[in-house]
Amino acid sequence: LETSALGAVGYDGDLLTGGGVRVTIDTRWHFGGSVDYLAERRSEDLAGYGQVSVTSSTAALAAHLGWELGAIRLRAAAGVRAGTATIAGDSDSTGVVASSVSGLIASPMARLDFGVAVLGPLTVTTSVEAGVHLVPVRGTADGMRQAAVDGSWVRGQLAAGWRW
């Protein structure tokens, strides 16, 4: 059993940053699983309209195959990431009404982990995760899609954990 705190940087058309927690279970038969929670945020300037911020709160459930070689641990995982996303506008001009839209998001995902036992039970793990939003959230400005949580995404994660 390993519990970790995560820092995340992602890209889904724009840069996202955030953090969360993960619990991972490894078995002696190289199979395992994990569950995590991530909160992420990005903002962008829509010329002539104002600022748009996108926040998401998601959880992932994944199964993995793992390999260990001394202090080094590799995992290849597949699963699903689902949660909520909110797209909120903030008008910077008169005549533009700002609003927000929230909805559910869901994605199949794949993740590769590279971990090292640093000192006793203390671990450091880097991960690359990718997926595609099958259930998206989209926002419009002036009748055109301007901000969205849709399409493919990729994120890098750095985790510090404790192996029990």
Side-chain angles (χ1 to χ4, degrees):
L1 178 68
E2 185 176 329
T3 55
S4 304
L6 304 172
V9 175
Y11 184 79
D12 69 349
D14 289 294
L15 192 63
L16 297 137
T17 57
V21 295
R22 177 179 296 142
V23 175
T24 304
I25 297 172
D26 290 305
T27 68
R28 67 182 108 187
W29 302 284
H30 304 287
F31 295 105
S34 64
V35 61
D36 73 40
Y37 168 79
L38 280 177
E40 295 176 297
R41 178 175 169 78
R42 69 174 158 94
S43 63
E44 60 186 283
D45 185 37
L46 295 180
Y49 299 106
Q51 283 288 122
V52 173
S53 65
V54 177
T55 57
S56 65
S57 176
T58 62
L61 181 63
H64 67 255
L65 286 173
W67 300 271
E68 268 188 59
L69 182 59
I72 297 171
R73 181 175 303 109
L74 301 172
R75 296 185 193 108
V80 64
R81 179 167 296 284
T84 62
T86 299
I87 301 170
D90 184 16
S91 175
D92 65 358
S93 64
T94 58
V96 175
V97 177
S99 65
S100 65
V101 61
S102 295
L104 298 176
I105 54 176
S107 307
M109 52 78 89
R111 187 181 70 237
L112 295 175
D113 300 335
F114 174 79
V116 177
V118 179
L119 183 61
L122 181 63
T123 62
V124 174
T125 303
T126 59
S127 303
V128 176
E129 182 179 293
V132 61
H133 291 290
L134 297 181
V135 179
V137 175
R138 297 182 177 109
T140 61
D142 200 21
M144 298 179 355
R145 189 181 91 184
Q146 296 289 338
V149 178
D150 66 354
S152 58
W153 52 268
V154 64
R155 83 174 34 90
Q157 300 168 344
L158 179 61
W162 191 267
R163 191 162 188 196
W164 303 90

